[in-house]
Amino acid sequence: MTKPQPDVLISAEDISARVDALAKKISSDYAGEGEIVLIGVLKGAFIFLADLSRRLTIPRHIEFIAVSSYEHGSVRSGAVRLVLDVRASIEGKHVIVVEDIVDTGHTLHYLIDMLKSRNPASVRTCTLLHKEHRTEVDVEIDYLGFTIGDEWVVGYGLDFAEQDRTLPYIGIVKPDDA
Ligand code: PRP
């Protein structure tokens, strides 16, 4: 039996228009600043980073980083550890951390602290989605795609048990599927 597709929360067209706007804003903010370093947080950010980076009109260097959240049963403790680091030094560089989603904020909070300790020229953040009502730790989001509610979302890089990452839109996982 074919699996039903998740309902659309944000269409591919709306995502594309927002990514365009974010790329324009970032290109304008960093014009004349030299090469910026975009750090995508694996795995969820890989599609957003690909689309965003291709639309920038400024010099950019792509890096990836991966973290793991400690879990007690199915509950996340908020503690985060690094499982894959960037390859290049970011000292003296303008850095933008690119996320697919900020949920509790623990991942981004950990990454900002860690990256700032390496003496970059600056660290800013860019996320496609923000679940603002789930915030446990405040983090500055400099470039935001969309604020969403507390639903479980998939697509455009986001998964549910590794499913639906390559959906072209942001969909909502129905309670029956979760
Ligand atoms: C998601 C997302 C962020 C993090 C946000 O990653 O990509 O990195 O959770 O959550 P937080 O704000 O509560 O810390 P996930 O652990 O699902 O891994 P994945 O990107 O590999 O799917």
Side-chain angles (χ1 to χ4, degrees):
M1 206 174 77
T2 329
K3 186 168 87 65
Q5 292 290 290
D7 290 340
V8 177
L9 179 66
I10 307 170
S11 69
E13 293 73 25
D14 287 350
I15 295 171
S16 181
R18 197 70 198 111
V19 174
D20 260 344
L22 290 171
K24 279 202 182 79
K25 177 79 173 108
I26 292 170
S27 298
S28 145
D29 287 355
Y30 289 89
E33 295 288 339
E35 184 183 75
I36 65 168
V37 182
L38 296 173
I39 303 180
V41 185
L42 293 173
K43 302 178 196 171
F46 78 113
I47 291 179
F48 179 41
L49 179 69
D51 284 350
L52 182 73
S53 60
R54 285 182 291 182
R55 295 179 198 191
L56 295 176
T57 56
I58 51 171
R60 61 278 189 189
H61 172 116
I62 308 296
E63 290 285 337
F64 287 99
I65 210 162
V67 298
S68 176
S69 301
Y70 290 102
E71 296 185 10
H72 298 301
S74 60
V75 179
R76 286 185 176 191
S77 66
V80 177
R81 81 190 154 91
L82 190 67
V83 295
L84 175 78
D85 205 345
V86 295
R87 288 202 198 164
S89 166
I90 59 165
E91 189 167 351
K93 302 277 191 179
H94 290 296
V95 170
I96 303 180
V97 183
V98 179
E99 267 285 23
D100 53 334
I101 187 165
V102 176
D103 184 356
T104 63
H106 286 290
T107 303
L108 206 47
H109 184 262
Y110 167 85
L111 287 174
I112 293 167
D113 273 2
M114 189 200 72
L115 294 169
K116 279 188 172 166
S117 73
R118 298 179 182 183
N119 300 318
S122 67
V123 178
R124 284 188 181 160
T125 59
C126 176
T127 184
L128 182 71
L129 304 175
H130 182 208
K131 283 188 180 178
E132 63 179 357
H133 296 301
R134 298 252 312 157
T135 302
E136 291 177 10
V137 51
D138 281 323
V139 285
E140 185 90 16
I141 297 174
D142 299 289
Y143 302 101
L144 171 64
F146 304 90
T147 299
I148 62 168
D150 198 9
E151 50 269 306
W152 192 295
V153 286
V154 292
Y156 202 70
L158 293 102
D159 74 309
F160 176 72
E162 292 302 327
Q163 298 300 300
D164 292 326
R165 279 198 201 274
T166 54
L167 273 183
Y169 61 90
I170 300 292
I172 299 182
V173 178
K174 300 188 188 84
D176 291 355
D177 303 334

